[in-house]
Amino acid sequence: MLSTDTAQALKEWVATQAQAAKVAARELARKTSEEKNAALELMAASLVTRQHEILQANAQDVSRVSTAGAAKSFIDRLTLTPARIQSIADGVRAVMALPDPIGVTQERWQLRNGVLVERRSVPLGVIAMIYEARPNVTVDAAALALKTSNAVVLRGSADALESNRAIVAALREGLRASEVPAEAIQLIESVEHASVEYLIRMRDAIDLVIPRGGAKLIQTVVESSAVPVIETGVGNCHVYVDEAAQQEMATKIVVNAKTQRPSVCNAAETLLVHTDVAPQWLPQALKALQERGVEIRGCTRTCQLVPDIESASEQDWGTEYLELIMAVKIVEDVQEAIEHIAQYGTRHTESIITENEETAALFLDQVDAAVVYHNASTRLTDGFVFGFGAEIGISTQKMHARGPMGLQALTSYKYVGHGSGQVIE
């Protein structure tokens, strides 16, 4: 519990940073595409130039959480390597190469009184990004915000504090050599939960809040914020293998969806299998998963087919494991698979494996998720893969933005009217 004086000082400090971002956002809104792109290139270069400092800082974070007994999946999300830093820098350059979405006339029409009306894309203003131990999010959020002429206030977790400090120092060093104000990127370094509470109530400075992390973090922000929130989602993703699935393809997709990087939100957590294909295909598919270290938790019928697995509980169907664990259930048909997803899914990403186009169409139409696939891995749900350069999160809600959020998700619009003296009679 903070003392009254400490709480007040923290609140004033968070407000100072938020207001600095607001001032920077107004200046950033006047910058040209060329000026913003030059700043992004300098940011990318600075990440690579200062990678030794970033890696040293990251090693402190990793050592601390490892000593505290953090899960392997958590450590993996936190850990940076030279290859990952280069990939992050490449992501900044990918954002730089995309068309500038700001100032674009989306529609134009003329009213009966002769006034010409345009709908023009504009920045949101100041975005508050609240996230957990994912240092790459620090860069993705900063790059996407800058490209869309938005300032960003970053509040990462205590577990990644040293990494985030080093990354933001590198990004701001790049900005100081550019025409873009370095104050457009702010990092809240306080690890007190109160800093989040203050930030998400500053309606005079913050225009949008994006929480990215576990269910508890997202729920807390959604329920407490006085600022509009885009809810990024927990990923309890499913793969349904239909009776008409091409079995070799199904195995390849399921293994990829679960094991390629199990610690991320688009990894598959539950495998649903049509009863007619289960006896022949499921044992060899589960063997392929087990050979890659996956712990299987199966329904009663799955345990009968493959006895050397753990029995699934009711809780397993609703769990986002983020590690090498997969729940498996045999279903009667595609409709039962759809109903299971409706009950336990998180509206993130779902996939069907089938050669039956009608069955695929039914699944794609009826499953309520931000992204649905036919014969493809859930791991494809990613801003970089979608061609967005990077992503600031994956929205599982239906308002404004849904799915991987790239540049367009960070814009709004205004109407611009051109008249010649028209008035309302």
Side-chain angles (χ1 to χ4, degrees), residues 27 35 49 55 148 188 233 315 350 371:
E27 183 177 347
E35 289 170 329
T49 300
L55 290 171
T148 49
I188 303 293
Q315 184 179 357
E350 312 294 352
V371 184

Side-chain angles (χ1 to χ4, degrees), residues 235-255:
N236 186 19
C237 305
H238 301 71
V239 177
Y240 166 59
V241 177
D242 184 54
E243 63 177 332
Q246 202 286 324
Q247 294 187 16
E248 185 177 347
M249 176 197 294
T251 302
K252 176 182 177 182
I253 289 173
V254 170
V255 169

Side-chain angles (χ1 to χ4, degrees), residues 51 56 119 171 180 201 243 248 285 295 354 391:
Q51 70 171 301
Q56 280 188 323
R119 191 172 78 171
L171 296 176
V180 170
R201 293 184 178 278
E243 63 177 332
E248 185 177 347
E295 176 186 327
T354 185
E391 70 182 37

Side-chain angles (χ1 to χ4, degrees), residues 10 32 49 75 131 224 233 300 320 337 353 371 417 425:
L10 177 58
T32 66
T49 300
I75 295 171
Y131 55 107
S224 304
T300 301
E320 182 190 32
I353 316 302
V371 184
E425 299 295 341

Side-chain angles (χ1 to χ4, degrees), residues 170-339:
L171 296 176
R172 294 185 72 167
E173 180 179 271
L175 290 185
R176 280 191 286 271
S178 77
E179 297 299 318
V180 170
E183 293 74 21
I185 302 174
Q186 299 286 333
L187 176 67
I188 303 293
E189 296 188 18
S190 169
V191 298
E192 298 289 346
H193 291 301
S195 64
V196 174
E197 296 173 16
Y198 299 146
L199 184 62
I200 63 179
R201 293 184 178 278
M202 292 182 177
R203 297 186 64 179
D204 61 332
I206 305 299
D207 296 286
L208 177 70
V209 176
I210 302 176
R212 180 170 172 177
K216 184 177 179 181
L217 167 69
I218 295 168
Q219 182 179 6
T220 298
V221 172
V222 169
E223 293 178 353
S224 304
S225 182
V227 179
V229 177
I230 290 183
E231 183 177 351
T232 63
V234 173
N236 186 19
C237 305
H238 301 71
V239 177
Y240 166 59
V241 177
D242 184 54
E243 63 177 332
Q246 202 286 324
Q247 294 187 16
E248 185 177 347
M249 176 197 294
T251 302
K252 176 182 177 182
I253 289 173
V254 170
V255 169
N256 177 266
K258 178 69 260 182
T259 70
Q260 196 272 333
R261 194 174 179 190
S263 64
V264 292
C265 64
N266 58 17
E269 306 291 18
T270 298
L271 172 62
L272 303 173
V273 184
H274 192 289
T275 184
D276 290 348
V277 77
Q280 179 183 359
W281 176 78
L282 192 52
Q284 59 92 7
L286 296 190
K287 180 181 178 181
L289 288 166
Q290 289 173 317
E291 287 173 350
R292 290 162 177 81
V294 180
E295 176 186 327
I296 306 298
R297 299 180 183 178
C299 68
T300 301
R301 295 168 69 188
T302 301
C303 290
Q304 291 170 349
L305 277 176
V306 185
D308 63 334
I309 61 173
E310 186 176 334
S311 179
S313 67
E314 177 65 22
Q315 184 179 357
D316 283 309
W317 306 126
T319 298
E320 182 190 32
Y321 299 113
L322 298 176
E323 53 185 313
L324 289 171
I325 302 173
M326 193 170 209
V328 182
K329 183 178 182 180
I330 296 173
V331 296
E332 290 299 315
D333 53 26
V334 66
Q335 199 59 55
E336 185 180 347
I338 292 169
E339 290 169 2

